[in-house]
Amino acid sequence: SAFDYGPSTDDEYFEIGFDNDNPVMNLDTTGNFTVMGWMNPLAPTVVRSYKILSTGSIAGADRGWGFALRLNNTAGTGSSVRFTTFGIADNDSMLFDVTFGAWMHLAATYSNGLITYYLNGNVLDSDFSAFGNEGLAGRLVVGSRAGGNDADQMNGMLDGIRVYDEVLTEAQIREAAVGSVSVVPEPSAAALGLIAGLVWMGSRRRR
């Protein structure tokens, strides 16, 4: 079943692990991976970035990265897939319009700084920004980022969040995107983590 978040001012999120000594997932800045997930966003009251996954710690002090839907206004027009390299840059895809209350599939691949963005299984564009490796305070957060304010909180539902330890092809990403929300076909790659199955290991936080 999907995770239900919101409103954003409730500051709800799942945090997996409490430090980076024995991380659930630790990806190197020179490595390769793919991150993806289904999102059913609700309309924001102000400009927000609905975080799907993030690593690092408070205010990007321990670097890491974040994967989100960037909403540049409350109407959902001119939105983007955002891959943040904390403490370095907010990197955005080409712009598109969002329909609130409808499921959409977002994905990004990372290869030693090369980021490629996908929407509903279709490639949008690419850019370059390497993230900094996480320090000991880093951890994995679903639906926000560690120490994030309301601008980072998810409002709506998340499902089928996956991270793979390689760059998937457009066909593999599309295969995942065309599945139903709760039964997403698994591409032929070794999954690092199916986050929905890992959440019981973490703690649900409400500030």
Side-chain angles (χ1 to χ4, degrees), residues 2-170:
F3 300 130
D4 194 358
Y5 294 87
S8 297
T9 51
D10 281 358
D11 292 354
E12 292 183 331
Y13 56 90
F14 288 98
E15 186 172 298
I16 302 175
F18 298 98
D19 57 47
N20 204 33
D21 292 329
N22 296 289
V24 174
M25 182 179 69
N26 194 353
L27 300 169
D28 190 82
T29 182
T30 60
N32 301 291
F33 63 91
T34 301
V35 57
M36 64 176 67
W38 288 99
M39 179 187 291
N40 188 330
L42 298 180
T45 55
V46 295
V47 172
R48 295 190 186 278
S49 294
Y50 285 174
K51 291 285 193 300
I52 299 176
L53 275 183
S54 64
T55 66
S57 64
I58 296 175
D62 284 81
R63 299 306 191 202
W65 52 270
F67 173 57
L69 170 66
R70 175 63 177 177
L71 297 167
N72 290 311
N73 55 59
T74 58
T77 57
S79 301
S80 64
V81 179
R82 171 166 287 189
F83 189 94
T84 299
T85 49
F86 289 127
I88 300 173
D90 287 323
N91 309 285
D92 292 322
S93 72
M94 63 181 293
L95 303 181
F96 54 86
D97 295 341
V98 170
T99 300
F100 295 118
W103 285 101
M104 59 194 299
H105 189 269
L106 308 178
T109 63
Y110 178 95
S111 180
N112 193 22
L114 177 63
I115 306 162
T116 302
Y117 309 96
Y118 293 82
L119 175 65
N120 295 327
N122 299 306
V123 65
L124 294 174
D125 56 0
S126 300
D127 59 20
F128 187 90
S129 180
F131 63 87
N133 282 331
E134 300 167 55
L136 293 181
R139 72 286 310 272
L140 180 64
V141 178
V142 183
S144 184
R145 70 175 175 88
N149 56 30
D150 293 345
D152 295 293
Q153 311 295 339
M154 177 63 200
N155 186 13
M157 291 187 285
L158 295 175
D159 201 357
I161 302 171
R162 296 179 176 189
V163 183
Y164 299 85
D165 60 354
E166 63 178 293
V167 172
L168 299 189
T169 65
E170 185 173 1

